[in-house]
Amino acid sequence: RLLHFLHENFRGQKQPTFVDQSIKDLQVGTFSNIASIHEDVPVIVALNVFVERRVSALPIINHLGRVVDIYAKFDVMNLAAERTFNNLDITVKKALEHRGQWYKGVYTCQETSTLRTVMDRLVEKQVHRLVVVNEHEQLVGVVSLSDVLKFLVLDTHQRLSPHEGTS
Amino acid sequence: RLLHFLHENFRGQKQPTFVDQSIKDLQVGTFSNIASIHEDVPVIVALNVFVERRVSALPIINHLGRVVDIYAKFDVMNLAAERTFNNLDITVKKALEHRGQWYKGVYTCQETSTLRTVMDRLVEKQVHRLVVVNEHEQLVGVVSLSDVLKFLVLDTHQRLSPHEGTS
Ligand SMILES: Nc1ncnc2c1ncn2[C@@H]1O[C@H](COP(=O)(O)O)[C@@H](O)[C@H]1O
Ligand SMILES: Nc1ncnc2c1ncn2[C@@H]1O[C@H](COP(=O)(O)O)[C@@H](O)[C@H]1O
């Protein structure tokens, strides 16, 4: 029954299914109280936000209030790699310069984006989250792998009796 | 003072510093109540563990009790990519076969590994965590980026007054 349900929802149906609904309507993601940082704050501030908020990445906002980048836990480790921990007072912007040419910018979506679009983009870009922005590139939310998986599991449970869900 | 401290600890000192101590002694990582799965469980079981335990990856244990692989949230998304959500009853082992030849195996360390070794390995392998195993390849713990960052921040705070820590 679980398989049947998922099959129906992911394949060849004509009417819209949940993956064609927007992440906002499905409430997949976090849309309030987003932890973010200004591009000019020192790295040590970002570290503190990581620890206090227990999130894996922070959208970076410029002086115009636009989302311009993202700072992930892994970026901090690159400081470690270069043994530049004596530079924890450099700005986040500066710390990210090492990424150089290959960096393609922060991947975003809108709250009107469908779950399918978001999932495809996460996989295509091999990233753990998209930053949700409005038409002015202002921060609206974050949608991460964790949110998508939680939705899939909870959604499945709601439609199935518990023992069917795990059998 | 913060910079001085970090500088002293990361550069050219002769006596051992904290990065040369073992992760076990420093208590960097999680060493009890590790969420793990058997390689023969269905993917849906792994999904439920992700949601309930809020961890980003699960060590995979074989029938001999050895750590043989790791299942991360991102691996679930690959099922989504291939539109094979109708296969949530396949085993985790089967689900991971798609990684094919390029997969190098799960990256591990021991609880006697130094923090420096762990950090270097995380960066070199570009992974978010190492599985801590004993000499029989049995599961002992997990040490993730989150643990290292938390340690660095807390450790810094302990030695500094709060306003110096964030200035
Ligand atoms: N910067 C952030 N601010 C607030 N919530 C976030 C942030 N990043 C991720 N989240 C949410 O935190 C949860 C865990 O996400 P993650 O850390 O990406 O596994 C998910 O519900 C995300 O939507
Ligand atoms: N499979 C796991 N079981 C128990 N704890 C874990 C597991 N994976 C990570 N952790 C811990 O959970 C915290 C968050 O790690 P992470 O999800 O990798 O950001 C860290 O303290 C890790 O040591």
Side-chain angles (χ1 to χ4, degrees):
Chain A
R1 192 174 293 258
L2 167 63
L3 303 187
H4 183 71
F5 161 73
L6 287 163
H7 188 269
E8 288 294 281
N9 276 283
F10 278 87
R11 305 219 168 210
Q13 279 201 343
K14 289 223 187 71
Q15 70 265 49
T17 67
F18 70 86
V19 288
D20 295 312
Q21 292 175 43
S22 75
I23 52 170
K24 180 74 182 189
D25 286 349
L26 295 170
Q27 281 293 304
V28 177
T30 303
F31 298 96
S32 62
N33 198 18
I34 300 300
S36 67
I37 47 174
H38 192 276
E39 60 182 348
D40 292 330
V41 303
V43 166
I44 183 72
V45 170
L47 257 70
N48 275 286
V49 180
F50 279 133
V51 171
E52 277 157 27
R53 297 290 306 269
R54 299 190 65 203
V55 294
S56 58
L58 304 170
I60 302 179
I61 315 293
N62 74 1
H63 63 288
L64 297 171
R66 296 211 184 103
V67 176
V68 287
D69 206 334
I70 189 155
Y71 197 57
K73 282 182 176 171
F74 212 88
D75 296 307
V76 185
M77 292 306 288
N78 280 309
L79 285 180
E82 298 162 10
R83 296 280 187 276
T84 43
F85 267 126
N86 53 335
N87 278 336
L88 291 187
D89 67 334
I90 64 168
T91 66
V92 162
K93 186 178 184 172
K94 184 90 189 154
L96 287 174
E97 281 172 5
H98 75 93
R99 289 188 303 203
Q101 295 300 68
W102 61 265
Y103 182 66
K104 297 280 197 307
V106 52
Y107 296 117
T108 61
C109 67
Q110 307 222 315
E111 57 185 10
T112 52
S113 302
T114 65
L115 179 57
R116 188 193 302 273
T117 303
V118 167
M119 288 168 68
D120 285 348
R121 200 162 161 81
L122 288 169
V123 172
E124 185 198 333
K125 302 302 184 188
Q126 295 274 309
V127 291
H128 283 246
R129 87 285 304 159
L130 302 177
V131 180
V132 187
V133 294
N134 66 15
E135 65 274 29
H136 306 297
E137 287 168 65
Q138 287 158 338
L139 181 62
V140 171
V142 169
V143 51
S144 92
L145 289 184
S146 310
D147 301 312
V148 175
L149 299 190
K150 188 160 58 180
F151 174 77
L152 292 175
V153 169
L154 295 183
D155 192 74
T156 303
H157 277 303
Q158 272 166 19
R159 286 180 172 76
L160 299 167
S161 68
H163 74 273
E164 282 178 303
T166 53
S167 71
Chain B
R1 192 175 292 258
L2 168 63
L3 302 187
H4 182 72
F5 161 73
L6 288 163
H7 189 269
E8 289 295 280
N9 275 282
F10 278 89
R11 306 216 168 212
Q13 282 200 340
K14 289 228 186 63
Q15 71 266 48
T17 66
F18 69 86
V19 289
D20 295 312
Q21 291 176 41
S22 75
I23 52 170
K24 180 75 183 188
D25 285 351
L26 296 171
Q27 280 295 302
V28 176
T30 303
F31 298 97
S32 63
N33 198 18
I34 301 299
S36 67
I37 49 175
H38 192 276
E39 60 182 347
D40 292 330
V41 303
V43 166
I44 183 72
V45 170
L47 257 71
N48 276 285
V49 180
F50 279 132
V51 171
E52 277 157 27
R53 297 290 305 270
R54 300 190 63 203
V55 294
S56 57
L58 304 169
I60 303 180
I61 314 292
N62 74 3
H63 64 286
L64 296 171
R66 296 210 183 104
V67 175
V68 286
D69 206 333
I70 189 155
Y71 197 55
K73 282 183 176 171
F74 212 90
D75 296 308
V76 185
M77 292 305 288
N78 280 310
L79 285 180
E82 298 163 10
R83 297 276 188 282
T84 43
F85 267 127
N86 53 334
N87 277 337
L88 292 186
D89 68 332
I90 63 168
T91 66
V92 160
K93 185 177 183 172
K94 184 90 188 159
L96 287 173
E97 281 173 5
H98 73 94
R99 289 187 304 204
Q101 295 298 71
W102 61 267
Y103 182 67
K104 296 281 196 308
V106 52
Y107 297 117
T108 61
C109 67
Q110 307 223 316
E111 57 184 11
T112 53
S113 302
T114 65
L115 179 56
R116 188 192 301 275
T117 304
V118 167
M119 288 168 69
D120 286 347
R121 202 165 160 78
L122 287 169
V123 172
E124 184 199 332
K125 302 301 184 189
Q126 296 274 309
V127 291
H128 284 245
R129 86 284 304 160
L130 302 178
V131 180
V132 188
V133 294
N134 66 15
E135 66 275 30
H136 306 296
E137 287 167 65
Q138 287 158 337
L139 181 63
V140 170
V142 169
V143 52
S144 92
L145 289 184
S146 310
D147 300 313
V148 176
L149 298 190
K150 188 160 57 180
F151 174 77
L152 292 175
V153 169
L154 295 182
D155 192 74
T156 302
H157 278 302
Q158 272 166 20
R159 286 176 172 77
L160 299 168
S161 68
H163 75 273
E164 281 177 304
T166 53
S167 71

